[in-house]
Amino acid sequence: MANHQSSKKRIRQDEKKRLENKYYAKTMRNALRKLRAATEKEAAVAELPKVTSMIDRLAKKNIIHKNKAANLKASIASHVNKL
């Protein structure tokens, strides 16, 4: 158990951040799932910039790794182009 005030505060902050990061990562995964499930090209093309922006934001905040972000973006762009 933490004894110092600063370490107790850090534990509280870490827990809040962990929950926030988990929420944003899950939101991104749901958006990806929705985009991959789209069957109409127009709907997928309209959704692509929003999802790409979301992935970039999460990579910038280090919630996901930048290489993972690049792989995801390439994957969904390829998927939209195949529709």
Side-chain angles (χ1 to χ4, degrees):
M1 184 63 199
N3 291 322
H4 295 285
Q5 192 64 37
S6 61
S7 56
K8 290 178 182 177
K9 181 178 179 181
R10 176 53 74 187
I11 289 168
R12 289 194 308 269
Q13 288 175 334
D14 288 346
E15 180 63 18
K16 283 182 185 174
K17 269 292 182 212
R18 186 182 71 80
L19 292 173
E20 190 176 305
N21 290 345
K22 201 164 101 172
Y23 167 77
Y24 285 119
K26 183 70 174 175
T27 304
M28 178 206 57
R29 284 198 303 274
N30 288 338
L32 284 170
R33 203 171 291 128
K34 183 180 172 188
L35 182 67
R36 287 187 179 130
T39 54
E40 297 176 12
K41 186 168 174 113
E42 295 79 27
V45 168
E47 201 66 29
L48 184 63
K50 295 174 190 168
V51 176
T52 303
S53 170
M54 187 184 297
I55 292 171
D56 284 335
R57 250 181 286 132
L58 293 180
K60 186 178 178 184
K61 289 180 171 182
N62 290 322
I63 295 171
I64 59 173
H65 195 274
K66 63 177 185 168
N67 291 353
K68 180 184 172 93
N71 289 338
L72 286 172
K73 285 169 30 180
S75 168
I76 60 173
S78 168
H79 173 72
V80 170
N81 286 335
K82 285 180 188 172
L83 289 178

